[in-house]
């Protein structure tokens, strides 16, 4: 008997709470017919945040229990959380970008292409993953007809592929992606390594005195923890005289199809690593130093492997050198200091003088030995 009484009390409390919520909305200025502007969408690095005005939902004959992501009403994770304590009552959805949540609530994920808005737009396309879905209402009655207007709030968030790496897995047409915190950049999963051989197996060790000029350096740019559906694509690789690539003397090793004659690109856009090599050089401004120090930078992005070939630059077109890429569609990975020996004119003159003095000494020594030989010859007679 006491259990039945307890159930009655809980039911009464629930009814009173629902009635109180309705009265709260009934007295609010947003108690009106629903409108497209009632939803606010925030595309975060790890979550998509939806905030929907709640009183228009009550006005339409529904409440927070009768709306859900993509009609998944029987799954609690797909329903929102009502906030009547805010100055304007809202229904909040925090959609975690995990593979399980995405599939659980039926959100759509589609890869789309977009032309880069930077100065490389003549040959550069960027791929996005568009995450979309709807918050829709469920009719409270069981009759075959209804007098309630259906509510549907649509949302979408485009994420460049650069945002979708490591930390948070996402399912996109049978592929796994991820989203990193902060700005979503995938720079933390990129690495640049230098090697001495074309098999890329022997790491380059740079002596304090620097490398000999024209030493071939093999460069590998690699993405880690990346699904095999995506490849690494280099748009531009260049060297600067200081670690910061901005406002520094630079030299382009390649920009699209335009390459330095000593640069060889082995892999680009065909796997999860890109490879190229170049010959060690020095910057002329370092002519009064014992070594020339420079830093290597590569502007890098991702591409879906079935589309990478079409995203490589069209080498028929003329491409300008030394141009910048829209940094929201690409990331820059850099190397540590690379040192090369500087053979200055002073060193050459000193070396030449030393060789000249040694030659004079050898000539005098030879002349002395010849005279000594003649002297011994005449003494023997």
């Amino acid at each position: 008997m006491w259990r039945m009484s307890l159930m009655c009390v809980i039911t009464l409390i629930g009814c009173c709470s629902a009635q109180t919520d309705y009265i709260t909305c009934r007295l609010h200025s947003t108690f009106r017919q629903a409108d497209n502007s009632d939803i606010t969408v925030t595309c975060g690095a790890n979550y998509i945040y939806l905030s929907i005005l709640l009183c228009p939902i009550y006005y339409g004959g529904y409440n927070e229990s009768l709306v859900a992501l993509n009609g998944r009403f029987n799954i609690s994770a797909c329903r929102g959380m009502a906030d009547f304590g805010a100055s304007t009552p809202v229904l909040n959805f925090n959609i975690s970008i995990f593979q399980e949540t995405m599939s659980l609530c039926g959100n759509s994920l589609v890869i789309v292409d977009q032309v880069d808005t930077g100065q490389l737009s003549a040959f550069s396309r960027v791929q996005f993953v568009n995450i979309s879905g709807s918050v829709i209402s469920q009719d409270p009655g069981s009759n075959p007809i209804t007098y309630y207007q259906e509510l549907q709030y649509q949302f979408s968030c485009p994420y460049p592929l650069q945002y979708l790496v490591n930390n948070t897995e996402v399912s996109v047409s049978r592929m796994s992606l991820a989203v990193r915190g902060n700005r979503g950049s995938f720079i933390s999963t990129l690495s640049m390594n230098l090697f001495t051989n074309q098999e890329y197996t022997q790491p380059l060790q740079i002596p304090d005195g620097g490398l000999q000029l024209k030493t071939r350096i093999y460069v590998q740019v690699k993405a880690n923890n990346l699904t095999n559906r995506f490849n690494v694509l280099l748009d531009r690789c260049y060297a600067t005289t200081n670690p910061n690539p901005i406002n520094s003397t630079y030299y382009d090793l390649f920009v699209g199809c335009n390459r330095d004659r000593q640069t060889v690109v082995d892999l680009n856009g065909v796997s999860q690593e890109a490879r190229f090599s170049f010959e060690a050089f020095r910057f002329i401004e370092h002519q009064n130093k014992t070594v020339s120090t420079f830093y290597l930078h590569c502007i890098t992005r991702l591409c879906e492997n079935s589309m990478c070939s079409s995203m490589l630059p069209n080498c028929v077109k003329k491409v300008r050198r030394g141009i910048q890429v829209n940094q929201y569609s690409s990331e820059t990975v850099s190397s540590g200091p690379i040192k090369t020996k500087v053979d200055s004119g002073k060193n050459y003159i000193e070396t030449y003088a030393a060789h000249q003095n040694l030659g004079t000494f050898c000539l005098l020594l030879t002349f002395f030995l010849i005279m000594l030989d003649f002297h011994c010859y005449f003494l023997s007679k």
Side-chain angles (χ1 to χ4, degrees):
M1 184 67 181
W2 66 271
R3 291 183 179 178
M4 184 177 294
S5 300
L6 181 60
M7 291 297 296
C8 290
V9 171
I10 293 174
T11 302
L12 287 172
I13 293 174
C15 291
C16 290
S17 178
Q19 188 65 24
T20 302
D21 294 341
Y22 177 80
I23 293 174
T24 301
C25 271
R26 184 71 178 81
L27 299 175
H28 200 274
S29 60
T30 58
F31 188 71
R32 52 161 175 76
Q33 190 172 355
D35 186 80
N36 290 334
S37 62
D38 292 346
I39 183 172
T40 300
V41 182
T42 302
C43 302
N46 294 301
Y47 290 86
I48 296 175
Y49 302 96
L50 307 181
S51 182
I52 304 174
L53 296 184
L54 189 54
C55 293
I57 295 176
Y58 272 77
Y59 183 91
Y62 305 96
N63 58 41
E64 60 272 16
S65 67
L66 295 174
V67 291
L69 283 169
N70 305 300
R72 306 293 174 92
F73 302 103
N74 60 335
I75 303 175
S76 60
C78 304
R79 294 198 298 266
M81 180 69 67
D83 182 6
F84 284 94
S87 57
T88 299
V90 291
L91 182 63
N92 294 320
F93 291 83
N94 295 341
I95 307 171
S96 176
I97 309 180
F98 280 94
Q99 180 175 348
E100 294 81 4
T101 306
M102 288 290 103
S103 58
L104 185 66
C105 294
N107 293 303
S108 173
L109 299 97
V110 179
I111 293 181
V112 295
D113 285 356
Q114 180 175 315
V115 175
D116 190 0
T117 57
Q119 289 180 295
L120 290 176
S121 58
F123 64 87
S124 180
R125 285 171 30 221
V126 181
Q127 291 189 303
F128 286 77
V129 172
N130 191 60
I131 302 174
S132 61
S134 300
V135 176
I136 62 178
S137 61
Q138 181 184 38
D139 193 272
S142 58
N143 296 325
I145 66 169
T146 183
Y147 296 98
Y148 295 101
Q149 181 69 41
E150 181 186 18
L151 301 181
Q152 184 172 145
Y153 302 91
Q154 296 183 341
F155 67 91
S156 66
C157 283
Y159 288 92
L161 291 188
Q162 280 79 336
Y163 282 35
L164 304 176
V165 179
N166 209 10
N167 293 0
T168 306
E169 292 187 350
V170 180
S171 176
V172 183
S173 301
R174 297 190 302 267
M175 53 188 140
S176 294
L177 297 178
V179 178
R180 181 175 176 263
N182 300 327
R183 195 167 65 86
S185 162
F186 79 121
I187 186 70
S188 65
T189 68
L190 279 180
S191 62
M192 176 182 286
N193 301 296
L194 307 180
F195 297 90
T196 60
N197 61 329
Q198 59 184 1
E199 291 78 24
Y200 294 82
T201 57
Q202 299 176 6
L204 175 65
Q205 301 293 332
I206 301 177
D208 292 337
L211 299 169
Q212 289 286 352
L213 296 176
K214 298 187 71 63
T215 299
R216 183 153 291 275
I217 300 174
Y218 296 86
V219 184
Q220 175 199 65
V221 177
K222 185 176 182 180
N224 300 312
N225 302 320
L226 182 64
T227 173
N228 58 13
R229 187 69 182 270
F230 298 101
N231 295 340
V232 170
L233 181 63
L234 304 182
D235 280 326
R236 175 192 178 198
C237 290
Y238 59 105
T240 62
T241 53
N242 66 54
N244 186 358
I246 306 301
N247 298 326
S248 173
T249 303
Y250 69 86
Y251 181 74
D252 284 322
L253 297 177
F254 67 88
V255 181
C257 302
N258 199 346
R259 301 176 185 173
D260 172 81
R261 62 182 181 179
Q262 304 300 336
T263 299
V264 178
V265 178
D266 297 319
L267 290 176
N268 195 16
V270 297
S271 70
Q272 293 184 8
E273 64 180 79
R275 295 177 173 182
F276 69 94
S277 64
F278 67 98
E279 291 186 351
F281 53 84
R282 68 176 179 87
F283 277 90
I284 294 178
E285 66 182 64
H286 295 158
Q287 59 186 354
N288 293 324
K289 298 182 177 181
T290 56
V291 296
S292 176
T293 302
F294 61 88
Y295 301 82
L296 190 62
H297 313 277
C298 286
I299 297 178
T300 312
R301 57 196 171 109
L302 300 182
C303 58
E304 187 186 14
N305 52 28
S306 63
M307 297 293 295
C308 287
S309 59
S310 63
M311 299 179 71
L312 289 169
N314 183 353
C315 295
V316 176
K317 297 179 181 179
K318 183 177 180 180
V319 181
R320 291 176 293 170
R321 296 172 62 88
I323 54 184
Q324 299 296 324
V325 181
N326 184 344
Q327 292 300 307
Y328 288 99
S329 63
S330 56
E331 294 293 341
T332 301
V333 61
S334 303
S335 73
I338 300 174
K339 299 178 180 181
T340 56
K341 294 181 179 179
V342 176
D343 296 324
S344 65
K346 180 176 180 294
N347 290 337
Y348 172 77
I349 292 173
E350 289 175 351
T351 302
Y352 176 78
H355 282 229
Q356 191 176 41
N357 292 338
L358 180 61
T360 303
F361 173 76
C362 291
L363 182 62
L364 291 175
L365 179 60
T366 302
F367 178 75
F368 173 76
L369 292 175
I370 292 174
M371 293 301 295
L372 181 61
D373 186 56
F374 273 110
H375 179 70
C376 293
Y377 174 76
F378 284 119
L379 288 177
S380 64
K381 292 294 185 179

